[in-house]
Amino acid sequence: MTTHLSPGRGAVYPGFLDAHVHLALIDPVMLPSGGIARVLDLGGWLPDGPRPSMPDLAYAHQFVTVPGGYPSRADWAEPAWTCAVSGAADAAGAVDLQAAAGASVLKITLNSEAGPVLGGEALLALVGRAHHRGLPVVAHAEGAGEAERAFSAGVDAFAHTPFSERLGDDLVNAMAGRMTWISTLDIHGWGSRTAAFEIASDNLRRFHGSGGRVLYGTDLGNGPLRLGLNLREIVALLGAGLTPDDVLAALCSSAPLGLTVADTRVTFVPGERPRDPGAFADWLVTARALTRPELEELA
Ligand SMILES: [Zn+2]
């Protein structure tokens, strides 16, 4: 970073990343003015031509599941957004389809609350093929035991902090050794505390405390969320034991899940970073993402 701002003008960070977004459900060009420079799309989206005002991004393309599995029956998901795998024999083809569409991450769903889920052999075959193709695997795990099944099969990341049950300390410790969790705490109630919010916050507190990697993510596109940084998500991360510096690390990962995401923008937060941690979140959400020429104009 070569731009020097005069003292008090603001802070400049690597472009903030929202690691769980559904671009097909929002107006993505609004995100940079809300502080988000980079996104990871976790299902339902394909590039529709060059648009310079888009955030930088990586994407998963389809949700890979079983016939009738989540989210194929959800009202917000179009039929073409899911890829159904009947058994292990279909797994390689399903992964190759996503890679051919430009996906750099595989999104699988294991939601036993909403329908049938992938069996053990199909799950292993999907993870094996994805890793063979260099794609990290992100799972939506929901329902008793699904997070543990995903972890045991070699899944790299959770699209949501596990929220169906309190995971045991030993399991959380093991997960912290090799997984990344995308936070999405605020989806549980959007500000009104729910049981799932408390469970997820407790799991995340121990995961982070054991050294697990956390990425800021909001599931933007589902629910009443601002197009940009979500104040409640940041407050929830602080509430789960992340320090302000930890929150910045969760937003600024240079290679989330080992992926290369372009970084044509930085994130600029006007004014001085408050010393009081209680004022940090309110300050941070005034951020906006700027191209480097836009930043130069400020300097
Ligand atoms: Zn999602």
Side-chain angles (χ1 to χ4, degrees):
M1 181 61 54
T2 53
T3 301
H4 296 286
L5 298 171
S6 49
R9 286 292 302 282
V12 180
Y13 297 105
F16 286 176
L17 168 79
D18 188 330
H20 188 154
V21 163
H22 299 285
L23 292 168
L25 298 171
I26 60 171
D27 182 1
V29 302
M30 302 295 290
L31 290 175
S33 59
I36 298 297
R38 300 176 296 153
V39 299
L40 179 58
D41 188 282
L42 290 183
W45 190 78
L46 270 183
D48 53 1
R51 294 161 75 184
S53 44
M54 290 282 282
D56 293 315
L57 60 97
Y59 61 94
H61 187 35
Q62 290 174 309
F63 297 82
V64 176
T65 182
V66 283
Y70 179 82
S72 63
R73 295 171 185 163
D75 56 4
W76 51 265
E78 293 179 21
W81 293 5
T82 53
C83 173
V85 168
S86 298
D90 292 349
V95 173
D96 292 354
L97 203 61
Q98 312 314 313
S104 51
V105 53
L106 187 74
K107 173 73 177 288
I108 63 169
T109 67
L110 293 166
N111 182 350
S112 62
E113 308 267 329
V117 290
L118 292 157
E121 283 184 19
L123 182 54
L124 282 173
L126 284 167
V127 173
R129 183 64 175 187
H131 288 169
H132 176 72
R133 301 285 316 248
L135 272 58
V137 182
V138 180
H140 173 125
E142 182 170 355
E146 295 302 326
E148 183 164 13
R149 286 184 67 220
F151 171 65
S152 300
V155 163
D156 303 285
F158 287 135
H160 305 281
T161 296
F163 58 90
S164 296
E165 63 202 327
R166 184 183 192 276
L167 303 179
D169 288 342
D170 290 349
L171 181 57
V172 169
N173 263 325
M175 288 176 171
R178 67 163 173 81
M179 283 194 98
T180 299
W181 289 7
I182 299 165
S183 59
T184 76
L185 296 173
D186 182 51
I187 59 168
H188 307 295
W190 300 299
S192 59
R193 292 289 178 96
T194 63
F197 180 91
E198 301 299 344
I199 292 168
S201 296
D202 173 50
N203 285 332
L204 190 69
R205 170 182 295 280
R206 289 176 294 125
F207 179 78
H208 170 67
S210 299
R213 280 184 300 269
V214 178
L215 293 176
Y216 167 95
T218 63
D219 204 2
L220 193 56
N222 281 321
L225 295 181
R226 171 180 181 251
L227 292 176
L229 281 167
N230 177 354
L231 174 65
R232 291 186 310 257
E233 188 70 31
I234 293 161
V235 170
L237 286 168
L238 294 168
L242 279 76
T243 65
D245 282 339
D246 293 334
V247 170
L248 286 167
L251 281 160
C252 294
S253 172
S254 60
L257 311 178
L259 299 172
T260 309
V261 184
D263 62 338
T264 59
R265 290 184 185 84
V266 296
T267 292
F268 169 74
V269 193
E272 222 167 318
R273 175 174 165 180
R275 286 162 197 260
D276 170 15
F280 172 76
D282 285 317
W283 171 75
L284 197 67
V285 294
T286 63
R288 56 190 197 268
L290 303 173
T291 62
R292 285 171 178 80
E294 287 167 346
L295 182 66
E296 292 293 336
E297 277 174 35
L298 277 185

